[in-house]
Amino acid sequence: MSDALVDLIADLEEEAAIERVHARLAKGELAAAIIEDCQAGLAVVGDRYREGTYFIAGLIMAGEIFREVMEILEPLVGPAGAPDHEPTGPTSGRVLVLTVQGDIHDLGKNLLVMLLRSMNFEVHDLGVDVPPDEVVRVAMALAPDVVGLSGMLLTSFPAMRATIAALREAYAGRADAPGIIVGGGQMTEGTAAWVGADGWSDNAGSAVPDIERLVGSARAKRGPRDRA
Ligand code: B12
């Protein structure tokens, strides 16, 4: 058995994978490198599921291992924060994040939330399987600078498109429309264009500059808000 983290996760070796994470942290490795290897391991699990070597239990187990790893790494990525963690200083932007209707994958979304909170964004996380009308209702009440939609299934894309269409309709002609960014492992530029998003990413870290750009243009259109 290889002791590389990618292989341990791919082989669903829960205990050995957790031990490996602790060992790598003890050697001073960065959380980002460990997360990258976990994602690569999960991708292998996904491939094995598609090929029929693993079944749904394999996906569940892989998700559980990743959740445990993130529990260990969270203090190193940023403040744990309550679900609606309020930043202490001036915020980098107000972001509403969720997984779209019909999709319950949340590990990638949670990673994005953790990362944004560590960078002083005010993040509101609506959870998973969120219907378009609920997204519109909360967005109208919250006035976010950016709405981030996550989806891991090909069947999530119509739900993403419907959510964006509902947001665009609700904000038609208004200066306070948020920027909309979409993400998930299967996201591509073409899909992002098809769903009607303003930005896209298949990686939380590389999404941050795009989210900052969308915050900037939403704020420029809207002008100063009464609550910062
Ligand atoms: C773990 C897992 C599960 C777990 C999820 C647990 C959880 N709490 O999330 C469970 C067991 C629930 C699950 C269920 C299913 N799954 Co699944 N799952 C996976 C797996 C192995 C890993 C996904 C993951 O968490 N990756 C790690 C995270 C960190 O990566 P990520 O999600 O890509 O997120 C990163 C970026 O995408 C980005 N990001 C994510 N969201 C956002 C949002 C924004 C706004 C931005 C900017 C960025 C961003 O940032 C993240 C960090 O960099 C993938 C395989 C794969 N290749 O990914 C299959 C996979 C996604 N699942 C798949 C399938 C088919 C299913 C099921 C339909 C299986 C079934 N028959 O029931 C169900 C669907 C349930 C549902 N309705 O949603 C398929 C999808 C195929 C397709 N083309 O649609 C995949 C690809 C496996 C495969 N190869 O067949 N799954």
mmCIF file of all heavy atoms in Angstrom, residues 2 29 36-37 105 135 142 158 163 174:
data_model
loop_
_atom_site.group_PDB
_atom_site.id
_atom_site.type_symbol
_atom_site.label_atom_id
_atom_site.label_comp_id
_atom_site.label_asym_id
_atom_site.label_seq_id
_atom_site.Cartn_x
_atom_site.Cartn_y
_atom_site.Cartn_z
ATOM 1 N N SER A 2 0.589 2.174 -0.905
ATOM 2 C CA SER A 2 1.349 3.431 -0.932
ATOM 3 C C SER A 2 0.923 4.284 0.266
ATOM 4 O O SER A 2 -0.208 4.213 0.713
ATOM 5 C CB SER A 2 1.008 4.175 -2.224
ATOM 6 O OG SER A 2 1.299 5.531 -2.080
ATOM 7 N N GLU A 29 4.115 21.136 6.369
ATOM 8 C CA GLU A 29 3.510 21.362 5.036
ATOM 9 C C GLU A 29 2.306 22.286 5.099
ATOM 10 O O GLU A 29 1.592 22.333 6.106
ATOM 11 C CB GLU A 29 3.081 20.025 4.450
ATOM 12 C CG GLU A 29 4.163 19.425 3.604
ATOM 13 C CD GLU A 29 3.596 18.397 2.658
ATOM 14 O OE1 GLU A 29 2.729 18.722 1.839
ATOM 15 O OE2 GLU A 29 4.056 17.250 2.762
ATOM 16 N N GLU A 36 -5.030 19.955 -1.936
ATOM 17 C CA GLU A 36 -4.876 19.615 -3.356
ATOM 18 C C GLU A 36 -4.773 18.088 -3.538
ATOM 19 O O GLU A 36 -5.405 17.522 -4.427
ATOM 20 C CB GLU A 36 -3.605 20.275 -3.873
ATOM 21 C CG GLU A 36 -3.677 20.702 -5.313
ATOM 22 C CD GLU A 36 -2.465 21.551 -5.664
ATOM 23 O OE1 GLU A 36 -2.454 22.761 -5.334
ATOM 24 O OE2 GLU A 36 -1.533 20.986 -6.235
ATOM 25 N N ASP A 37 -3.996 17.440 -2.674
ATOM 26 C CA ASP A 37 -3.857 15.980 -2.775
ATOM 27 C C ASP A 37 -5.178 15.278 -2.452
ATOM 28 O O ASP A 37 -5.511 14.259 -3.060
ATOM 29 C CB ASP A 37 -2.756 15.482 -1.835
ATOM 30 C CG ASP A 37 -1.367 15.739 -2.427
ATOM 31 O OD1 ASP A 37 -1.299 16.254 -3.571
ATOM 32 O OD2 ASP A 37 -0.365 15.437 -1.755
ATOM 33 N N HIS A 105 -23.865 18.011 -3.036
ATOM 34 C CA HIS A 105 -22.408 18.083 -2.837
ATOM 35 C C HIS A 105 -22.073 19.419 -2.165
ATOM 36 O O HIS A 105 -22.446 20.469 -2.679
ATOM 37 C CB HIS A 105 -21.669 18.002 -4.178
ATOM 38 C CG HIS A 105 -21.802 16.673 -4.853
ATOM 39 N ND1 HIS A 105 -22.868 16.374 -5.665
ATOM 40 C CD2 HIS A 105 -21.008 15.574 -4.838
ATOM 41 C CE1 HIS A 105 -22.719 15.133 -6.120
ATOM 42 N NE2 HIS A 105 -21.606 14.619 -5.637
ATOM 43 N N VAL A 135 -33.226 31.380 -3.263
ATOM 44 C CA VAL A 135 -32.019 32.177 -3.513
ATOM 45 C C VAL A 135 -32.423 33.643 -3.730
ATOM 46 O O VAL A 135 -31.832 34.564 -3.150
ATOM 47 C CB VAL A 135 -31.241 31.657 -4.749
ATOM 48 C CG1 VAL A 135 -29.982 32.492 -4.978
ATOM 49 C CG2 VAL A 135 -30.882 30.185 -4.585
ATOM 50 N N LEU A 142 -30.717 40.302 1.750
ATOM 51 C CA LEU A 142 -29.330 40.414 2.216
ATOM 52 C C LEU A 142 -28.499 41.441 1.445
ATOM 53 O O LEU A 142 -27.519 41.970 1.952
ATOM 54 C CB LEU A 142 -28.702 39.028 2.051
ATOM 55 C CG LEU A 142 -27.445 38.692 2.792
ATOM 56 C CD1 LEU A 142 -27.698 38.703 4.294
ATOM 57 C CD2 LEU A 142 -26.955 37.321 2.355
ATOM 58 N N PRO A 158 -28.872 22.925 -15.411
ATOM 59 C CA PRO A 158 -30.171 23.576 -15.642
ATOM 60 C C PRO A 158 -30.679 24.305 -14.390
ATOM 61 O O PRO A 158 -31.265 25.384 -14.502
ATOM 62 C CB PRO A 158 -31.090 22.406 -16.027
ATOM 63 C CG PRO A 158 -30.158 21.371 -16.587
ATOM 64 C CD PRO A 158 -28.885 21.494 -15.788
ATOM 65 N N THR A 163 -31.702 29.392 -11.656
ATOM 66 C CA THR A 163 -31.452 30.272 -10.506
ATOM 67 C C THR A 163 -30.963 31.638 -10.991
ATOM 68 O O THR A 163 -31.411 32.686 -10.501
ATOM 69 C CB THR A 163 -30.393 29.628 -9.570
ATOM 70 O OG1 THR A 163 -30.842 28.321 -9.215
ATOM 71 C CG2 THR A 163 -30.177 30.466 -8.323
ATOM 72 N N ARG A 174 -32.365 47.248 -11.770
ATOM 73 C CA ARG A 174 -31.907 47.752 -10.463
ATOM 74 C C ARG A 174 -30.396 47.909 -10.446
ATOM 75 O O ARG A 174 -29.669 47.149 -11.077
ATOM 76 C CB ARG A 174 -32.331 46.775 -9.353
ATOM 77 C CG ARG A 174 -33.832 46.734 -9.167
ATOM 78 C CD ARG A 174 -34.261 45.656 -8.201
ATOM 79 N NE ARG A 174 -33.564 45.717 -6.914
ATOM 80 C CZ ARG A 174 -34.121 45.443 -5.745
ATOM 81 N NH1 ARG A 174 -35.408 45.122 -5.689
ATOM 82 N NH2 ARG A 174 -33.417 45.470 -4.636
#
